[in-house]
Amino acid sequence: MTVNNLVFICYGVPLVIVYGISLISVVSIRKRFTTLTTFVPIYALTAAVNLLTYVNAWLALRLYQEQFFNFYYHFVNQFFILSLVHQYLVGLFYFAQNINSSLLTIDRFVYIVKPNWVDKWRIHWWKVAASLYALVGVLNFFVAGYTLLVPGPIRRATVRVVLPATARISPSTDTQTSLTSISGRIKLYHQK
């Protein structure tokens, strides 16, 4: 196991457990709070996104360095869409964490500075959150280059794929570039 991953495991796993316990405790004592507050649902959404981000980042960005986890990356390379989903979720969860921080900031702003907006915020906060998530999901699809997979006129010149450390990139002789995994099963082509 690499030293970086060992360090991340030593402090990451206990902190995830503590984070999970804090989430459970906040949700379980929610009834003591007023039922009209929006802080607890936003906090629960933030915690869920943070935990999913942590797990996905380990799978997409960290464990490919470990030999004992190569079986997973061979499986992912056989079904290349899983690799793309991992990379898509890395970007999406990054933006989702920023959205959640913004929602918490707006929530506190409304309750402290604009108390006359509280009733509207209580009713519509989830619509704001869903709209922002949908917008970010679509933008992440286009900005990150996943339009490469969509047939037709909307194509990009880049794609990000999770591959094991032993993967190689081999340019071809014509104007196309192929990205080939070690098993030779993934070949994604795009035009420049």
Side-chain angles (χ1 to χ4, degrees), residues 152-174:
I154 52 173
R155 290 195 176 258
R156 304 259 313 158
T158 59
V159 68
R160 296 178 187 140
V161 179
V162 177
L163 295 173
T166 55
R168 65 184 189 278
I169 297 175
S170 59
S172 58
T173 56
D174 57 353

Side-chain angles (χ1 to χ4, degrees), residues 74-90:
H74 287 294
F75 172 75
V76 167
N77 284 336
Q78 290 176 359
F79 303 100
F80 76 94
I81 194 72
L82 292 176
S83 175
L84 295 175
V85 167
H86 275 305
Q87 287 302 107
Y88 177 79
L89 289 177
V90 167

